[in-house]
Amino acid sequence: RKEVEQDPGPFNVPEGATVAFNCTYSNSASQSFFWYRQDCRKEPKLLMSVYSSGNEDGRFTAQLNRASQYISLLIRDSKLSDSATYLCVVIPSNTGKLIFGQGTTLQVKP
Amino acid sequence: ETGVTQTPRHLVMGMTNKKSLKCEQHLGHNAMYWYKQSAKKPLELMFVYSLEERVENNSVPSRFSPECPNSSHLFLHLHTLQPEDSALYLCASSRGDRTGYEQYFGPGTRLTVT
């Protein structure tokens, strides 16, 4: 089983749609969770951290379910500029080692 | 701009060549990383340096040799590579190598081994 698994997509959605991505992780001792965004042929950039209580940043909502070992990212009112690959990142307990998922590709169409 | 620069941005090399990738961070961070990103695969951590000491070597073949002369610079020396080593090599830095610190990535070097 992969350490971090994501549906690679692509997800093709119209502008204004709501889209959700899930990510599962295998190490139950994982401590920190993030979503990174990677535009085509660019480097990954941190989108948001994922907290146990769930957190929201504008149109983006991240949630963590420790019991089921998955995290999710919800994007509301999709914009064309949201088109990118979204990388789920998990950090095992007490290390700085980032474990990346394969990424989920989102394409927002006009 | 992320404050992490990498050179060259593109590199084509033969299997018998020796080349080096360079990374420089202008963020005052103490930890630096090399990652490999191959098509259709997740980013793979290769090396971690914290305060210029290598703290992680993720089972990387010896044809990849990292060097960290100071906390701002990181090199990846390449020799006798294989075609399957063709990938995007990303450098990153963070305040420390412990959990919770955001990593800032450079733009990457796209390497093609012929």
Side-chain angles (χ1 to χ4, degrees):
Chain A
R1 184 183 172 186
K2 294 178 184 175
E3 290 184 88
V4 179
E5 289 203 65
Q6 294 181 253
D7 180 348
F11 284 60
N12 295 300
V13 303
E15 267 188 292
T18 295
V19 62
F21 308 135
N22 285 332
C23 165
T24 58
Y25 59 94
S26 61
N27 185 345
S28 60
S30 296
Q31 193 167 55
S32 301
F33 309 88
F34 304 89
W35 284 102
Y36 274 69
R37 170 190 169 136
Q38 186 171 23
D39 291 294
C40 187
R41 306 188 78 80
K42 295 283 187 74
E43 71 275 18
K45 293 185 180 180
L46 180 67
L47 178 66
M48 59 195 303
S49 303
V50 185
Y51 303 123
S52 296
S53 55
N55 48 300
E56 191 173 305
D57 182 2
R59 297 181 293 108
F60 298 83
T61 300
Q63 294 201 309
L64 167 64
N65 185 320
R66 284 190 185 274
S68 300
Q69 293 181 212
Y70 79 81
I71 66 174
S72 63
L73 178 67
L74 182 77
I75 305 175
R76 289 180 300 277
D77 189 24
S78 301
K79 312 289 185 192
L80 295 176
S81 57
D82 294 334
S83 297
T85 296
Y86 291 84
L87 304 169
C88 174
V89 180
V90 172
I91 299 183
S93 177
N94 203 33
T95 75
K97 181 178 174 180
L98 272 62
I99 310 294
F100 283 82
Q102 185 181 354
T104 297
T105 299
L106 172 66
Q107 187 69 41
V108 181
K109 308 279 190 188
Chain B
E1 292 300 317
T2 63
V4 180
T5 58
Q6 288 186 244
T7 55
R9 295 294 305 277
H10 299 272
L11 177 62
V12 179
M13 60 186 287
M15 289 190 282
T16 58
N17 291 158
K18 288 186 181 181
K19 296 286 184 184
S20 295
L21 310 185
K22 179 182 176 182
C23 175
E24 184 173 358
Q25 59 95 0
H26 314 275
L27 301 168
H29 288 166
N30 291 320
M32 297 187 77
Y33 311 79
W34 278 117
Y35 288 88
K36 175 183 178 181
Q37 188 173 35
S38 304
K40 308 293 185 188
K41 292 176 71 174
L43 269 81
E44 301 170 60
L45 179 66
M46 300 175 73
F47 301 104
V48 180
Y49 276 83
S50 177
L51 296 171
E52 301 144 48
E53 274 192 45
R54 190 190 309 181
V55 297
E56 178 115 13
N57 175 353
N58 222 27
S59 303
V60 179
S62 60
R63 57 185 183 270
F64 295 91
S65 173
E67 178 191 0
C68 188
N70 55 62
S71 60
S72 299
H73 293 87
L74 185 65
F75 295 90
L76 188 63
H77 303 300
L78 316 171
H79 64 99
T80 59
L81 295 192
Q82 305 298 312
E84 60 264 29
D85 296 323
S86 298
L88 179 68
Y89 289 85
L90 291 158
C91 172
S93 71
S94 65
R95 283 175 55 197
D97 67 325
R98 297 294 98 187
T99 190
Y101 289 123
E102 177 182 353
Q103 292 189 12
Y104 294 81
F105 286 83
T109 296
R110 191 160 294 280
L111 172 68
T112 302
V113 181
T114 60

